[in-house]
Amino acid sequence: MKRVILITIFFSIFYIGAVCQSNEGPVLKKELIGKYEGELKKGRAQGNGTAIGRDSYTGRFYKGLPEGEGIYTDSEGNKYKGSFHNGIKDGKGELILKGTVKDSVIVGYWASDKYIGKEKKDPYEISNQTGIVRSE
């Protein structure tokens, strides 16, 4: 009986450890986990590479995430060509949305994975005025 309990405990610990284990592969973006071919640094995708999982990406990686210029295709066939930062769209790019009849193309700038427009606009403008203000 003790033997059965010990074996059960051992396999339970092994199973929990395997299920709760963090991603130790070269790519950290969950949609891209699967097959990776490219440059590595300390076991992570870094430099030029291609990752294919549920989605696919070809371009620059940094510490396991898309960074810099690349092409990302999602599982629905939508394709983004442009800049990435920390694994998300950030900077200038072109998004081709797959349509049933015709594809749509969105060109412009993204910030934190959100489209901000055709032109990059700074959130504020700094101006400097100096002078003397007198009140009488």
Side-chain angles (χ1 to χ4, degrees):
M1 184 65 178
K2 286 182 180 181
R3 186 180 219 179
V4 172
I5 293 172
L6 288 174
I7 291 172
T8 303
I9 291 171
F10 173 77
F11 281 111
S12 297
I13 292 171
F14 179 78
Y15 177 76
I16 290 170
V19 169
C20 296
Q21 185 177 23
S22 65
N23 177 29
E24 295 297 325
V27 178
L28 297 178
K29 189 169 178 75
K30 68 180 181 175
E31 295 86 359
L32 297 175
I33 294 173
K35 181 181 176 187
Y36 175 75
E37 290 183 13
E39 299 175 58
L40 296 170
K41 184 174 182 181
K42 296 183 180 178
R44 296 280 186 230
Q46 187 150 319
N48 291 316
T50 298
I52 301 171
R54 187 175 75 216
D55 298 346
S56 66
Y57 174 79
T58 298
R60 300 284 302 165
F61 283 88
Y62 181 70
K63 294 186 178 179
L65 294 170
E67 182 76 27
E69 297 298 312
I71 301 171
Y72 189 102
T73 305
D74 69 20
S75 59
E76 296 174 6
N78 302 315
K79 185 181 286 189
Y80 174 78
K81 300 176 189 178
S83 296
F84 292 84
H85 180 63
N86 286 330
I88 58 174
K89 295 184 285 290
D90 198 277
K92 188 175 183 179
E94 174 182 273
L95 178 62
I96 302 168
L97 299 168
K98 279 297 214 189
T100 54
V101 177
K102 186 178 177 185
D103 293 348
S104 299
V105 179
I106 301 171
V107 177
Y109 290 87
W110 277 257
S112 300
D113 219 27
K114 292 181 176 48
Y115 181 71
I116 58 173
K118 290 186 178 188
E119 295 180 16
K120 187 175 180 181
K121 298 176 185 173
D122 291 327
Y124 52 86
E125 184 178 313
I126 299 173
S127 64
N128 185 6
Q129 274 188 322
T130 59
I132 299 172
V133 177
R134 293 188 182 171
S135 170
E136 294 195 36

